[in-house]
DNA sequence: CCGCTAGACTGATTTACATCAAAACAAGGC
DNA sequence: GCCTTGTTTTGATGTAAATCAGTCTAGCGG
């Protein structure tokens, strides 16, 4: 609960106001986020927001209503969508944080990504029209829904939108390839350093402190995501504290030495 | 050279006929592949081919000419596109094989993918409009060029095409995420088993032998791709031979025990 | 034909992590 | 308040895979 507060100190409804339900229904109109995209704290950082700044009025109105209609509120551990369920929408994280988890053939859970405000979730569902992962809220989280069929329709009418969607998807490809590289070729220390730097960058990009923030996920989740044992994550974190690369207190990180971490990233690369 | 022959025993020009040049020029019209998509050996397995089966004649003609115009021929080690260079086209591998290599900040090479006939290369360039990788032919290889600007234009006119491009990109996302999972959570043996199975599947999908084929890449390249040392790849390969999971002779693999490899994949998963 | 290089393979040694085990702490329920 | 349950941390031990150090073979250029 306090975890949620620090992630983004945005003008968000107090936790106590958040309705409790375990899954977001598609039918019920959520009134929590009545404001249009224009008022959103994400500002320019959001995908739909870029749509609304487009020239053609018809499209703008269309999209604005498309996006506005349902803003879902999730509490910790709520599921946004399930692996294997029919794909119909993309979601933009507005506040909070979400993890996407893939259950493999053997029943093991693998975290494929953490998604912070401004990130888009659900892209993995487009190819098979079923979600390839389960999306779970790590904190109290609000998302905007982008029904994909409608998005496709608008995209086919407005080339700029189409182009933008292509770019969004290509960005995801690049991100995943970078992650492949990390997992295949970097040491535990470097993975963790890179992970922290990426988080830091994310916050900075949103005009939040880059050297001091709260981790929305547990050590175990970090380990799972980075292909490391929990113990390794802990040990490296304490090692980083000893070298003064950062300070931790539970899930909050402070005094992040960004330059130091970057140095760590560049020096000793595994030569395969 | 003989390596090229076995990869796909398709009706392809003899290696000696392949012109030698180190990079494919954009301006020179390549006459090597005059036939339209209709005659292509890839048949239904190719992306553009699906376009040409669309209903609208105007679009069909447009796309057919778009794709037909240049079919590039590459010889081993030729570069199709360079990391950092301006992105303008996607490529479909027609015959042969291509690897995509990413050079990281420290100057280390990381192979992000191997691409066999029917695969699409260049998607990583869309987001930044610069290629994120360098694509290098592993064998004598022919590709079809899909200028992206033109593709976008057609996509915005024909919803089916747009949808199809979305799916292609989403497929790449899924593939990469699966690879992340492999690199983060599976043992060396399992990585190699999975790698071989994927190759096998690819060949089977193209109506070629699933249990006997030629590897277009070296052990070193396999290791780099899978995040393993060359020595490990060799050792596991000989181990597999001892357990009768396969036979190798240089780059050719035979008597692949698909069921056995699959069993190996499912049993002992690392619990992180 | 012969040296030369690149790739494939094998063995010995080291090491970075995982695993196992257990304590300390925090948070929520009753 | 105490008890339960999950998370974080630390230490000891084991091991998979990297590294180091070669040999062997196949192509290739002279």
């Amino acid at each position: 609960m306090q975890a949620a507060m620090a992630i983004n100190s945005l003008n968000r409804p107090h936790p106590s106001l958040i309705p409790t339900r375990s899954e977001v229904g598609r039918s019920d109109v959520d009134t929590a986020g009545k404001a249009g995209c224009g008022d959103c704290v994400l500002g320019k950082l959001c995908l739909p927001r870029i749509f609304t700044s487009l020239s053609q009025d018809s499209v703008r109105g269309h999209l604005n209503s498309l996006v506005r209609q349902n803003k879902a509120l999730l509490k910790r551990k709520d599921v946004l969508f399930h692996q294997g369920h029919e794909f119909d929408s993309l979601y933009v994280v507005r506040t909070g944080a979400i993890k996407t988890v893939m259950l493999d053939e053997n029943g093991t859970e693998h975290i494929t990504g953490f998604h912070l405000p401004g990130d888009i979730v659900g892209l993995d569902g487009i190819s098979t029209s079923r979600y390839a992962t389960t999306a779970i809220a790590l904190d109290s989280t609000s998302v905007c829904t982008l029904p994909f069929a409608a998005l496709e329709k608008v995209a086919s009418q407005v080339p700029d939108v189409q182009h933008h969607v292509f770019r969004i998807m290509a960005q995801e490809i690049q991100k995943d390839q970078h992650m492949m590289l990390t997992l295949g070729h970097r040491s535990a220390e470097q993975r963790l350093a890179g992970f922290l730097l990426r988080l830091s960058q994310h916050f900075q990009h949103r005009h939040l402190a880059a050297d001091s923030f709260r981790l929305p996920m547990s050590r175990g989740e970090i380990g799972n995501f980075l292909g490391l044992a929990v113990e390794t994550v802990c040990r490296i974190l304490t090692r980083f504290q000893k070298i003064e690369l950062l300070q931790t207190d539970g899930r909050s990180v402070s005094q992040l030495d960004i330059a130091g971490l970057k140095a760590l990233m560049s020096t000793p690369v595994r030569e395969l």
Side-chain angles (χ1 to χ4, degrees), chain A:
Chain A
M1 199 117 271
Q2 17 48 315
M5 299 310 294
I7 282 282
N8 39 12
S9 49
L10 308 169
N11 48 345
R12 187 157 53 84
H14 188 274
S16 62
L17 299 175
I18 295 170
T20 59
R21 69 187 121 110
S22 65
E23 191 160 358
V24 181
R26 321 210 169 285
S27 51
D28 50 354
V29 178
D30 197 312
T31 53
K34 262 181 227 140
C37 288
D39 306 325
C40 182
V41 287
L42 288 174
K44 298 198 183 70
L45 299 169
C46 181
L47 162 83
R49 180 59 195 277
I50 291 167
F51 297 167
T52 57
S53 66
L54 291 171
S55 44
Q56 297 169 45
D57 282 307
S58 58
V59 176
R60 190 191 313 171
H62 183 33
L63 235 171
N64 209 5
S65 68
L66 168 76
V67 175
R68 191 202 305 173
Q69 64 187 64
N70 40 8
K71 288 198 176 121
L73 283 170
L74 307 165
K75 58 189 204 331
R76 201 171 122 71
K77 297 204 175 176
D78 276 353
V79 171
L80 182 58
F81 52 78
H82 269 102
Q83 177 172 356
H85 283 195
E86 196 183 348
F87 165 78
D88 60 353
S89 300
L90 300 175
Y91 299 91
V92 184
V93 179
R94 223 159 58 103
T95 63
I98 282 178
K99 67 172 171 182
T100 40
V101 177
M102 189 176 284
L103 212 71
D104 75 8
E105 318 78 60
N106 314 317
T108 328
E109 279 198 356
H110 308 273
I111 296 175
T112 58
F114 297 112
H115 310 274
L116 300 179
D119 289 345
I120 292 187
V121 218
L123 291 172
D124 56 57
I126 295 175
S127 63
T128 57
S129 60
R130 301 199 164 272
Y131 291 107
T133 57
T134 299
I136 303 170
L138 292 169
D139 271 323
S140 299
T141 295
S142 65
V143 299
C144 297
T145 307
L146 286 170
F148 190 65
L151 182 59
E152 268 193 308
K153 198 173 154 211
V154 177
S156 69
Q157 285 161 8
V158 193
D160 273 357
V161 171
Q162 189 198 58
H163 187 74
H164 198 70
V165 176
F166 282 147
R167 285 176 61 105
I168 296 280
M169 294 184 69
Q171 255 171 42
E172 178 71 27
I173 291 173
Q174 273 212 316
K175 210 191 66 194
D176 290 348
Q177 286 190 351
H178 197 267
M179 194 64 202
M180 283 169 49
L181 200 147
T182 300
L183 293 172
H185 295 264
R186 323 207 73 123
S187 70
E189 267 192 1
Q190 290 181 316
R191 293 185 206 184
L192 202 50
F195 178 75
L196 292 168
L197 283 172
R198 240 172 304 130
L199 275 179
S200 164
Q201 258 189 293
H202 190 101
F203 292 123
Q204 185 174 37
H205 202 229
R206 260 138 257 255
H207 312 294
L208 298 165
D211 71 335
S212 170
F213 47 84
R214 210 149 209 292
L215 300 169
M217 70 296 280
S218 73
R219 306 284 194 268
E221 287 165 330
I222 295 175
N224 182 302
F225 179 59
L226 296 177
L228 302 170
V230 204
E231 296 94 322
T232 308
V233 175
C234 281
R235 270 187 259 270
I236 290 175
L237 240 28
T238 57
R239 206 183 306 163
F240 280 177
Q241 288 188 77
K242 284 201 189 108
I243 330 173
E244 315 256 62
L245 282 175
L246 53 81
Q247 292 304 312
T248 64
D249 174 24
R251 292 193 178 182
S252 48
V253 175
S254 55
Q255 299 169 54
L256 201 75
D257 178 357
I258 294 171
L261 289 170
K262 277 186 182 158
L264 216 162
M265 290 293 292
S266 50
T267 16
V269 191
R270 278 207 297 165
E271 202 73 57
L272 292 184

